Structure formats: C-alpha cells, structure tokens
Amino acid sequence: SSADFMVPGVICMILLIVTTNLTALGIVKEKEIGTMEQLLATPLRPSELIIGKLIPCIIIGFIDVIFILIVGYLVFAIPIRGSIALLLTLSCFYLFSTLGLGIFISTIVNTQEQSMILTFLIVLTMNTLSGIMFPIENMPPVIQYLTYLMPINHFAVIVRGILLRGIGIAIL
C-alpha cells in the first residue's frame, strides 16, 4: 500500500527538515543578534558550544522518529517487522549528517532568512532526488548517480528495510 511506502519516507523527510532547520537557525540566530561572540568569550571551547547547540536537536529528532513510528503503527497500521533499537541507532548516524548540514548552512549565511531559504532549497532537492517520492530508476542516469551522494537516499532504504522487511544489521 502507499502508506507502507510513504510513512518510512516521512520519517526521513521530517528528520531532514526539522533537524537541519533547527540547527542552522539556532546557530545563525546567535550570530545575527551578536551573542555568538559573547559565547565564544566564555571559558567554553567551541566544540562544547556546538555540542550544546546540537543536543536539543538530537533529542527532538529522536522524539520525531518515535512519534512518527507510533502514529504510523496506530493510524496507518504500518508493520514494524524489524528492531526498533537498530532503527534508532542507525537514525543517530543519519541525524549526524542532517545536523552537519545545518552547521554547514549556518557557516555560509548571515541571517535567519538566508538560512531558511538555503535550507528549503537543499531539503527540496534532497527530497526530490532521494527516491522517497519518485523512483530513482525513472531518473536520468546522471541524476541516479547523484542520488547516491545524499544520505536521505540510504536512510530511506534502511528505514524501509527495518520496518517493512525486518532486515537486520548484517544485510544493511
């Protein structure tokens, strides 16, 4: 059914949109209002500052995954045939890529508006080329190779494999 195909894709899209946008906006806001310099003047190391900014985004990302799984199971009757612990573990790796993208966006823009526009363009491109909405096999060969550079493509395969087929770590 289409719900079986789309709900795992929604997990990928929500994580990409929410965590990338929150990370980029959180850091850019500090730069925009001038408090980033004040934070850097504190005894905190820059790595500790970034980790402090990322922890809430990681927590929100895991809450999103769990919430979508519950809604998918209760409302759309999506089968959960694989390990939830494995899905959450592998979601952590995907979260690191989306958080890294948010940090990258925050380093090349100066305002929250620029951050939102650039995040929108990147997320729209990644969602379109990820194979979640349109089959990768129907894309031109050059674009098909480009899709393999996007983490959302691989995470979609992982989520669908775990939820719908019960695949374990050995195959993934």
Side-chain angles (χ1 to χ4, degrees):
S1 73
S2 63
D4 288 353
F5 187 75
M6 287 304 295
V7 170
V10 168
I11 292 173
C12 303
M13 289 191 295
I14 294 293
L15 279 180
L16 176 65
I17 293 167
V18 170
T19 57
T20 301
N21 206 12
L22 281 177
T23 304
L25 285 174
I27 295 173
V28 168
K29 183 176 181 176
E30 297 288 346
K31 284 177 21 181
E32 192 175 24
I33 62 176
T35 56
M36 184 60 80
E37 291 80 18
Q38 293 173 352
L39 289 171
L40 291 173
T42 64
L44 288 174
R45 289 179 277 176
S47 61
E48 295 171 340
L49 178 67
I50 294 296
I51 290 170
K53 287 284 185 189
L54 294 182
I55 287 175
C57 297
I58 292 169
I59 293 169
I60 290 171
F62 280 116
I63 290 171
D64 285 344
V65 170
I66 292 168
F67 180 73
I68 295 168
L69 285 173
I70 291 170
V71 169
Y73 182 75
L74 295 177
V75 175
F76 297 105
I78 301 298
I80 300 177
R81 296 189 173 109
S83 168
I84 298 294
L86 178 62
L87 178 63
L88 292 176
T89 303
L90 296 177
S91 295
C92 186
F93 292 108
Y94 179 64
L95 275 173
F96 288 143
S97 72
T98 61
L99 296 173
L101 181 61
I103 292 171
F104 172 72
I105 290 170
S106 71
T107 60
I108 60 175
V109 299
N110 295 318
T111 65
Q112 291 182 53
E113 291 83 10
Q114 292 173 346
S115 171
M116 290 176 66
I117 291 169
L118 186 57
T119 301
F120 174 76
L121 291 174
I122 290 172
V123 164
L124 181 65
T125 304
M126 290 179 81
N127 280 336
T128 304
L129 299 178
S130 65
I132 291 173
M133 293 188 271
F134 309 109
I136 295 174
E137 298 79 28
N138 293 349
M139 298 178 190
V142 174
I143 302 296
Q144 288 181 14
Y145 292 117
L146 185 64
T147 63
Y148 294 116
L149 298 175
M150 299 181 191
I152 190 171
N153 176 18
H154 304 289
F155 188 61
V157 171
I158 289 169
V159 173
R160 286 185 182 128
I162 292 173
L163 291 183
L164 303 178
R165 294 184 213 123
I167 295 175
I169 190 68
I171 295 174
L172 293 172

